[in-house]
Each structure stands twice: as structure tokens, then as C-alpha cells.
Amino acid sequence: MRKSVKIISLAVFIVINICIYISLNLSDIKAIDINKALTFKNTESEVLVANFMTDEKQADEIYTGKVIEITGTVKEVSFLNNRNTLILQGKDKNSGVICDMNANQIDAIHKISLGDKITVKGICKGFLKDVVMLNCIIITNN
């Protein structure tokens, strides 16, 4: 009985620390006013994905945590779980740039169609199977 209490306590401690870490990181992202933030780099979605797929460590050093502008073709628009997300086409059909949109972009998102070429500005958070960008705003809808 005593051993299971220790294991449960340790698990709860770990979960609480993970939640605190995530909330601190997300609060930093929301504190940045993307409209006023200086853009570190402009690139195409295909180039950004290719950079991460070719040398993820180097691309992390260049892009992760920085405000960047990405131009690409809209592959998908999603409104799941109260999140407004655009996916821009990447290097191939299985990759892309996931743009988690700022909440104030809802009207602009509804005007976008699949296949539109757009430019978004946001904070690059890294690469899983796709490049992930947070707090994005639409700069242009060509």
C-alpha cells in the first residue's frame, strides 16, 4: 500500500510540474503582440519544411522561438476543439506548416479557400512531422 501511494504522489508531482511548464511557455507566447513584433525571417512553407527535414538541429537553431513570416498554399483549414488552424503545403503531400491562428483572425480565416496563397506571421515552435507555428496572423491573402 505504501509503495503505491509513493508512485501516485510522484505521478501527480510530475503532472503538476508539466502543467506549470506548459502554462509558463504559453503565457510567454500570448504576451507577444505579433502585429508589432519584428519579423526575424521571411520564407516559403516548402523551404521551411525542407530545412527542418534536411537538418532539424540547424533549422531549430535558426527558426525555433522566433517570429517568422511564411508564404504558402493553403492545404487545410480547421476549426476543431476551439482552435483555428491553417495548414500550409510543405515539401511533399505528407508535410506542411501547421499555423495555430490568433483568436482575432477568425473573420479572415473564413475568407480563405483551399489552394489560396497566403502569408502568415507567427512564432515558430519547431518540427514534429510538420513545422508548428503559434499565435499566427494573416499578413496577405493573394
Side-chain angles (χ1 to χ4, degrees), residues 7-33:
I7 291 172
I8 291 171
S9 296
L10 180 61
V12 168
F13 176 75
I14 290 170
V15 168
I16 289 172
N17 281 319
I18 290 171
C19 290
I20 290 170
Y21 175 79
I22 290 170
S23 68
L24 289 174
N25 282 330
L26 288 178
S27 66
D28 288 345
I29 291 166
K30 291 182 179 182
I32 296 172
D33 183 351

Side-chain angles (χ1 to χ4, degrees), residues 13 19 28 31 36 39 49-50 66 68 111 113 125 127 134:
F13 176 75
C19 290
D28 288 345
K36 295 178 183 175
T39 300
V49 172
K66 299 189 176 77
I68 59 176
K111 295 175 185 172
S113 301
K125 292 309 286 182
F127 181 77
L134 300 179

Side-chain angles (χ1 to χ4, degrees), residues 82-130:
N82 291 330
R83 305 299 310 171
N84 305 313
T85 306
L86 298 176
I87 300 178
L88 303 180
Q89 182 62 47
K91 182 178 175 182
D92 58 42
K93 69 177 185 169
N94 296 319
S95 63
V97 178
I98 299 172
C99 304
D100 184 63
M101 303 303 289
N102 191 305
N104 68 9
Q105 297 292 295
I106 191 74
D107 291 335
I109 294 168
H110 282 291
K111 295 175 185 172
I112 291 176
S113 301
L114 298 182
D116 284 356
K117 189 161 184 146
I118 65 168
T119 301
V120 297
K121 181 178 178 181
I123 302 168
C124 181
K125 292 309 286 182
F127 181 77
L128 300 170
K129 181 185 124 218
D130 301 290

Side-chain angles (χ1 to χ4, degrees), residues 33-116:
D33 183 351
I34 293 296
N35 287 308
K36 295 178 183 175
L38 294 176
T39 300
F40 170 74
K41 195 164 186 94
N42 299 49
T43 190
E44 300 283 326
S45 59
E46 294 90 353
V47 173
L48 181 65
V49 172
N51 287 341
F52 273 98
M53 292 177 103
T54 303
D55 188 346
E56 186 175 349
K57 184 177 178 185
Q58 183 182 19
D60 266 338
E61 291 173 8
I62 295 170
Y63 299 106
T64 302
K66 299 189 176 77
V67 175
I68 59 176
E69 289 184 23
I70 303 300
T71 301
T73 303
V74 177
K75 179 167 118 176
E76 186 178 330
V77 179
S78 171
F79 301 98
L80 293 174
N81 301 322
N82 291 330
R83 305 299 310 171
N84 305 313
T85 306
L86 298 176
I87 300 178
L88 303 180
Q89 182 62 47
K91 182 178 175 182
D92 58 42
K93 69 177 185 169
N94 296 319
S95 63
V97 178
I98 299 172
C99 304
D100 184 63
M101 303 303 289
N102 191 305
N104 68 9
Q105 297 292 295
I106 191 74
D107 291 335
I109 294 168
H110 282 291
K111 295 175 185 172
I112 291 176
S113 301
L114 298 182
D116 284 356

